[in-house]
Amino acid sequence: GAVVSQHPSWVICKSGTSVKIECRSLDFQATTMFWYRQFPKQSLMLMATSNEGSKATYEQGVEKDKFLINHASLTLSTLTVTSAHPEDSSFYICSAPDSSGGSTDTQYFGPGTRLTVL
Amino acid sequence: AQSVTQLDSQVPVFEEAPVELRCNYSSSVSVYLFWYVQYPNQGLQLLLKYLSGSTLVKGINGFEAEFNKSQTSFHLRKPSVHISDTAEYFCALNAGGTSYGKLTFGQGTILTVHP
């Protein structure tokens, strides 16, 4: 099946620094990717939809200036957490659909990135 | 708005026993429903999905789920579990229309299969 990778798998940073997380579709092209956030013992919450060649669409309550998304190619989307603070510590997961990004598509998920902000 | 509720956060069972993981949803529109499994240190993997048609959906690894519109449920079942089924299971929905691939997830159920 299709594979989605994320890098890094975990990162520890100091408060105030920025962290970039990469999401790659390894054997298929993805014009759309999704970024989720998961707090301990809670569900995955959709943060934003990443669109290749255009601006990302953010869910209500997600600060677009804090979570910068760039979908520069058909196989790569990046999430940059700017000026990270301890409350940004979380598990970040990306997904990519196997087709055009419609409601019935199967989503392929990356293994996630654990961010810890000290 | 839509929501998904997984009624059990943890389900312990013995090997070869049957299991049911419960999922209820709320939505004002028709939905597509999914079950995903997450093994340790791996990404979520699709088990099965209900799009339309037969309400009984069969997935991988011997799992099946039944869509019940009147009870707004999509419970996952397996008649005989294996140790290798130990993982976290997520129920999710897509509200269709302009939702595209966006999923709303339940809280997850950790299934632990004991020998």
Side-chain angles (χ1 to χ4, degrees):
Chain A
V3 177
V4 173
S5 71
Q6 281 185 242
H7 178 80
S9 55
W10 58 271
V11 57
I12 301 173
C13 69
K14 292 182 179 180
S15 185
T17 61
S18 295
V19 174
K20 180 184 285 188
I21 302 170
E22 294 184 347
C23 176
R24 292 182 186 272
S25 56
L26 297 185
D27 49 2
F28 67 104
Q29 294 181 335
T31 55
T32 302
M33 291 183 175
F34 300 94
W35 286 96
Y36 293 85
R37 182 174 180 176
Q38 185 180 28
F39 291 104
K41 306 220 182 281
Q42 294 188 32
S43 180
L44 284 77
M45 298 294 294
L46 180 66
M47 298 175 65
T49 303
S50 174
N51 304 298
E52 189 269 337
S54 64
K55 291 183 178 180
T57 305
Y58 292 82
E59 295 300 301
Q60 191 173 8
V62 177
E63 299 176 60
K64 59 180 68 176
D65 294 331
K66 180 165 192 60
F67 298 101
L68 300 180
I69 290 173
N70 185 10
H71 197 147
S73 77
L74 289 171
T75 58
L76 174 64
S77 174
T78 60
L79 169 68
T80 301
V81 183
T82 62
S83 186
H85 290 96
E87 58 265 30
D88 299 322
S89 298
S90 191
F91 196 53
Y92 294 88
I93 302 171
C94 70
S95 74
D98 62 352
S99 184
S100 59
S103 296
T104 60
D105 291 346
T106 294
Q107 296 286 333
Y108 293 93
F109 286 82
T113 297
R114 174 77 59 193
L115 170 63
T116 301
V117 184
L118 302 176
Chain B
Q2 38 284 333
S3 66
V4 178
T5 302
Q6 291 182 241
L7 298 163
D8 306 295
S9 59
Q10 297 191 54
V11 173
V13 294
F14 286 108
E15 194 173 20
E16 298 184 4
V19 70
E20 178 180 82
L21 305 184
R22 298 180 293 169
C23 172
N24 284 94
Y25 69 91
S26 173
S27 176
S28 57
V29 299
S30 295
V31 297
Y32 304 112
L33 293 160
F34 305 79
W35 273 99
Y36 283 86
V37 59
Q38 185 174 32
Y39 299 103
N41 301 316
Q42 296 185 30
L44 279 73
Q45 176 185 355
L46 181 69
L47 272 180
L48 47 80
K49 59 183 177 182
Y50 172 77
L51 303 181
S52 64
S54 173
T55 58
L56 183 62
V57 181
K58 293 189 183 297
I60 62 171
N61 300 339
F63 284 93
E64 63 181 32
E66 185 157 19
F67 171 63
N68 189 319
K69 188 174 181 179
S70 63
Q71 297 187 8
T72 60
S73 69
F74 190 55
H75 300 332
L76 180 71
R77 301 186 183 99
K78 186 170 182 178
S80 176
V81 295
H82 302 288
I83 298 286
S84 59
D85 293 323
T86 295
E88 187 162 18
Y89 293 78
F90 292 92
C91 182
L93 70 78
N94 180 288
T98 57
S99 296
Y100 300 103
K102 295 194 289 187
L103 295 171
T104 299
F105 283 88
Q107 299 89 334
T109 298
I110 297 174
L111 173 65
T112 304
V113 181
H114 298 282

